[in-house]
Each structure stands twice: as structure tokens, then as C-alpha cells.
Amino acid sequence: MAVAILRQGDYLIASIRSDLTDGQLLALRDDLSERVGAQRIRGVIVDVRALDVIDSFMARSLSSIAQTARLRGAEMVIVGIQPDVAIAMVQFDLNLELLRATLDLDEALGLLDQLVTHG
Amino acid sequence: MASQTEGAGAQRRDAPGLDGPLLHQLVAHLHEQRGDLREEWARRITDAQLLRAMTPQEIFSEVTAVYDNYVTALETGSVETLQAYARDLSERIIPRGVETHEVLGIVLLLRDVLARSLFEHYQSDFQLLNRILDAYEPAANRIAVTVGVSFVEERERVIREQQEAIRELSTPVLQVRERLLILPIIGVLDSQRARQLTEQLLGAIQDNRAKVVVIDITGVAAIDLTVANHLVQTVEAARLMGASAIITGLSSKIAQTLVDLGVDLGMMRTVGDLQGGLEEAERVLGVRSSLGESGSQPG
């Protein structure tokens, strides 16, 4: 299983374990979007710590997951983008403004708590 | 004259041999007139307002050395000694602000001074003058090129060394307090250094679990479009690592440049000076931990 999705209270934590094919990525998007609505999820955390590469399709998909989640009533935070990956991502010339990111899971949970309560 | 139809390399070896007697005569003339010609040359250098960074005594002593080397180069057809001297001279005068046009100017002046003297000396025999000039001109031009190229090469070497020195100046990423880093940038920012900076910064963010980074560019004199975009990318990359960046110390010139270039500053949080930047950073950190308002929300 390339992606493990855990539920923690009102939050979903999707941990990407290895590189995803484009098809798997789209499946992940649909799956998350479905669950957000069905399980009354308020926040989604996508952990990409294990990824050495995030290509432009993946970056765009993550951004669209964030957008979709927001439309369904949940905030999304990305966790664990590696330095090299960050450098590569900002060179795609994509609009990543919708992507929120934190260094680790603790930070992400804290940020979601703030966003959901105050945001 | 065979020397004119052959390549430069052949000319260099053959010129003295082919025109042996003539060249000998030419060199003898230059030796004989050494005193006058040196003075004439030094005078014309001063008249042309070249080498103003040097005193007349210095000019005269360099003039003497170059003159002798020049005549030797004419005599032997070998420019190595002159080349070495030109490198050495360049090394001494470059730090004093002597420009390329000055060096080329004085070498061409010497060529002219010597040519005039030849005209004067051989004015009675036009045929002979022609043959003397045939021997003199190619050698003189080659010497001029050698000196000019030596100077430029020396200059480029100095520039390269300085660039490397600047690049090697490590840019420290400093931790001010928990979760707050400062990155002071000083000197010239080119693409390579900007990329290196970004890598260092992101590494430090990860290692120190930084939440806020203050990038201070007070020490950066100028910025171009490429570097400005690098800066924007650095801020964006830091955000993807979960840290918000505050830029401080934008000079009015750089601010103007950024606006003129149309760089997208939407993502950049800027504060006037480092002190203000630190206060802002503390505020972001403080607000976060106590009240729980998000500081990493995009603009």
C-alpha cells in the first residue's frame, strides 16, 4: 500500500510511503475528498516525508487536493517536504499559495487546531 | 617578404633570421636612441593623461623596463620575457586602478614613438625605410597584442579569484532563539550564491525546526531579475518547509528595482530593518504559541 490513511479525531492523516503513479494520486484525491464529506473531517494532513521527488503533476495534485478539501469543509496541511524537494517545487512556476506546509506532524496538528478553531 | 605571408607562429621564429641585418640595424638604432625615446614616450604618456595613478618617477622606471624588454622582444622575436614582465606589471598596477585602455594606450604610444623615430632616421632612403617598417610593424603589433592580452588575462584572473573569495565567504545561518533564524546576506548575490543560500537555509530550517526566518539583505548593494526571483523562490521554499520568511533591510534602490522589474512580492513579508524584523518575528512566534493565530497563512 503506497498510501496509508489514518483517522485521528476530526482529522485524516494520509502518509505517502513511496512514489505514486499519476493514477494512484488521482485515486488518493478522490478518496480523501470522499472521506472528508462522509466522515465530517475538519482537517487533512498529507505526509510526504518519504518522497525524494515531487514532480509538477504531484505538486499540482496536492494543490488541488487542498482546494477540494476546502470546498468540502476541511483544511489541508502538507508535512515533511524535504529541502531539495522544496527547491524543486518552487521552480515549477505553479501557484502553490493554497498549500500550507509544516515541518512535522506535531506542527501540522497544532496548525490545524488553530485553523479549525479560529480560521 | 616571406614573413608576411606566413602564419604568426612562423613569423615569430623567422622574422629575425630573414631580416637579420635589417633587424640588427633597427635594434642598434633603438639602443642608440634609448635615452631620447624613453623620455619622448614618458612625455607622451603624461600628455595623454594616462597612468595618472602613478608618479612620474614610477612611470619613468616602468617605461625604461618596458622599453628594454620591448627592444629585446624585437631583437629576439620572442615575447616570453616581455609577456612575463607584462603579467608582473599588471599584477602591480591593477590594484591601483589602472584601466585596460591605459595599458593599450601606452603600448600603442611606444609603437608610434618608435615608428616616428624610424621615419626620421631613414627619411633619406624610402626603400630602406619601407623594408625596415616591414620588419618592424608585424613585430611591434604582436608585442602590442601580447601586452594587451597579458594585462586582460591578469585582470580576469584577479576577478576570478575575487569572485571565488566572495563565494567562499560562508553565509552563516544564525539561531537567535528557539525556532527563529537569521540569515544575513552580504555582498554580491548571483544565481549560484542565491541557490547555495537557499540550500543552506532550508537545511538549517530542518535542523533547527525553525518557524520564522529573518533574511537581512542590508549588505546587498544591487539585485537583478534573476536574483530577485531566486529570493522569491527562497521565501516560497521556506514556506513549504513550514517556516515563514521575513525580509529586512531592502534598500530604497533595491525596492525600486523590485517594483520596476515587476517581481511578484505577494508572498514576501518585508520589514524595514533587522531590528523591526526581529520584533515582527517574535510577535509571530509569540502570537502563535499564546493565542494560536496562524502565522503561516499565505498573504
Side-chain angles (χ1 to χ4, degrees):
Chain A
M1 182 72 183
V3 185
I5 302 179
L6 308 172
R7 181 168 178 182
Q8 150 80 42
D10 286 342
Y11 304 148
L12 283 182
I13 302 173
S15 178
I16 301 179
R17 302 280 172 75
S18 60
D19 287 340
L20 300 182
T21 63
D22 291 356
Q24 286 173 313
L25 202 48
L26 293 175
L28 173 66
R29 188 187 65 184
D30 297 344
D31 192 13
L32 285 175
S33 166
E34 190 58 40
R35 289 211 200 182
V36 164
Q39 301 178 359
R40 299 178 55 85
I41 296 298
R42 302 299 310 277
V44 177
I45 295 174
V46 178
D47 183 356
V48 296
R49 182 173 308 277
L51 298 182
D52 295 327
V53 178
I54 290 183
D55 62 14
S56 67
F57 180 78
M58 175 132 195
R60 220 177 6 245
S61 302
L62 288 172
S63 185
S64 89
I65 290 176
Q67 260 171 301
T68 315
R70 180 171 296 169
L71 291 175
R72 304 270 283 164
E75 296 291 341
M76 185 187 99
V77 179
I78 298 200
V79 162
I81 295 178
Q82 301 297 309
D84 291 346
V85 175
I87 291 175
M89 279 175 81
V90 296
Q91 283 166 5
F92 293 147
D93 207 23
L94 292 175
N95 185 352
L96 302 175
E97 280 180 41
L98 286 169
L99 283 188
R100 281 182 227 281
T102 62
L103 209 54
D104 56 28
L105 204 53
D106 271 350
E107 296 286 330
L109 289 169
L111 178 58
L112 279 181
D113 284 343
Q114 293 163 15
L115 289 174
V116 170
T117 328
H118 301 272
Chain B
M1 212 137 298
S3 63
Q4 280 175 311
T5 53
E6 290 176 21
Q11 201 180 77
R12 170 174 164 179
R13 280 192 310 276
D14 295 343
L18 280 170
D19 286 307
L22 272 186
L23 195 77
H24 187 71
Q25 207 178 333
L26 168 68
V27 169
H29 170 72
L30 296 181
H31 275 310
E32 204 174 297
Q33 301 287 316
R34 180 169 178 263
D36 290 346
L37 292 177
R38 270 186 307 162
E39 274 165 35
E40 167 72 5
W41 184 29
R43 193 180 56 72
R44 290 190 56 177
I45 290 175
T46 319
D47 286 352
Q49 304 210 323
L50 296 171
L51 293 182
R52 275 188 296 181
M54 295 165 75
T55 66
Q57 288 80 11
E58 281 178 314
I59 293 183
F60 195 73
S61 93
E62 298 295 356
V63 157
T64 305
V66 175
Y67 185 92
D68 291 343
N69 275 305
Y70 195 97
V71 175
T72 310
L74 277 177
E75 190 174 4
T76 61
S78 148
V79 289
E80 269 105 45
T81 322
L82 182 64
Q83 196 169 23
Y85 182 78
R87 288 244 165 85
D88 179 55
L89 176 64
S90 307
E91 203 172 324
R92 275 181 284 135
I93 61 180
I94 286 171
R96 305 180 58 173
V98 175
E99 300 288 338
T100 314
H101 75 90
E102 293 185 281
V103 170
L104 292 177
I106 59 176
V107 176
L108 293 178
L109 275 182
L110 176 59
R111 193 193 58 169
D112 296 345
V113 167
L114 298 189
R116 288 281 177 100
S117 145
L118 292 176
F119 288 143
E120 201 181 332
H121 189 71
Y122 294 104
Q123 58 183 328
S124 56
D125 186 344
F126 186 66
Q127 292 294 327
L128 184 58
L129 173 62
N130 251 337
R131 289 173 58 206
I132 289 273
L133 287 179
D134 280 341
Y136 169 73
E137 282 167 354
N141 288 346
R142 197 157 55 81
I143 291 173
V145 169
T146 305
V147 172
V149 168
S150 302
F151 181 81
V152 171
E153 280 175 356
E154 181 63 24
R155 211 174 141 107
E156 283 170 357
R157 193 182 62 78
V158 169
I159 292 173
R160 258 196 315 276
E161 274 182 9
Q162 289 175 343
Q163 276 178 338
E164 269 166 36
I166 291 173
R167 201 159 290 143
E168 279 168 13
L169 282 176
S170 64
T171 303
V173 182
L174 309 167
Q175 177 157 17
V176 185
R177 49 171 275 190
E178 212 173 306
R179 328 215 66 183
L180 170 55
L181 297 178
I182 303 187
L183 175 71
I185 304 179
I186 291 169
V188 181
L189 251 190
D190 56 18
S191 310
Q192 195 189 340
R193 187 154 176 247
R195 198 172 313 125
Q196 188 190 337
L197 271 175
T198 309
E199 282 165 18
Q200 279 180 327
L201 178 65
L202 298 188
I205 288 174
Q206 196 170 40
D207 295 345
N208 298 304
R209 297 175 42 84
K211 207 80 188 136
V212 182
V213 182
V214 179
I215 302 175
D216 181 66
I217 59 169
T218 312
V220 178
I223 223 168
D224 63 13
L225 184 57
T226 320
V227 174
N229 283 328
H230 268 295
L231 206 54
V232 173
Q233 288 182 348
T234 305
V235 171
E236 178 75 359
R239 197 180 66 79
L240 289 176
M241 300 274 305
S244 41
I246 299 173
I247 308 236
T248 66
L250 277 161
S251 66
S252 65
K253 190 177 152 214
I254 290 183
Q256 195 67 54
T257 311
L258 291 179
V259 173
D260 289 345
L261 291 174
V263 176
D264 180 14
L265 299 173
M267 300 299 296
M268 305 248 271
R269 189 197 298 230
T270 57
V271 178
D273 57 12
L274 183 57
Q275 184 182 352
L278 287 177
E279 284 162 7
E280 171 77 6
E282 303 253 331
R283 199 181 62 75
V284 171
L285 286 170
V287 163
R288 269 212 188 141
S289 51
S290 59
L291 289 177
E293 184 212 300
S294 162
S296 77
Q297 259 178 321

